[in-house]
Amino acid sequence: RGAEAGDETLRWQVMALRLAVIKAHAREPIDVKAMRLQREGTQVQLTMPKGWAATHPQTLFLLQEEVQHWSRSGWATLELRA
């Protein structure tokens, strides 16, 4: 059981790191209030302020790719709310 709990923790850390890399890819100052990440079980919601998607199309594209990646993983679901 200990290894399984460690594996789950590692998966959440990987998801957080991947999302951070995508956000940093925009090469803009990081606004910590620009995105909100919530998790319930294996469902994760990433919420951005209204209008954010229109001004960040490249980052939105990368996040949409990330949603597909996690969907294919079968382990967690990532939902974007922009």
Side-chain angles (χ1 to χ4, degrees):
R1 173 148 171 98
E4 289 174 13
D7 290 348
E8 183 174 346
T9 298
L10 180 61
R11 287 180 183 142
W12 290 122
Q13 290 171 340
V14 167
M15 180 184 275
L17 179 60
R18 290 173 62 105
L19 292 171
V21 167
I22 290 170
K23 178 61 179 144
H25 185 267
R27 297 184 181 173
E28 296 178 350
I30 303 286
D31 178 2
V32 296
K33 296 180 183 178
M35 293 184 175
R36 182 172 167 210
L37 189 64
Q38 291 182 281
R39 175 177 73 101
E40 187 171 321
T42 59
Q43 296 182 357
V44 179
Q45 293 179 348
L46 183 60
T47 307
M48 286 75 71
K50 210 173 213 180
W52 181 91
T55 58
H56 298 85
Q58 186 176 15
T59 304
L60 179 63
F61 173 80
L62 293 172
L63 288 171
Q64 290 168 336
E65 292 285 309
E66 194 66 10
V67 166
Q68 292 176 14
H69 166 79
W70 288 104
S71 177
R72 288 189 305 269
S73 78
W75 179 77
T77 302
L78 176 61
E79 176 186 347
L80 299 181
R81 292 186 175 185

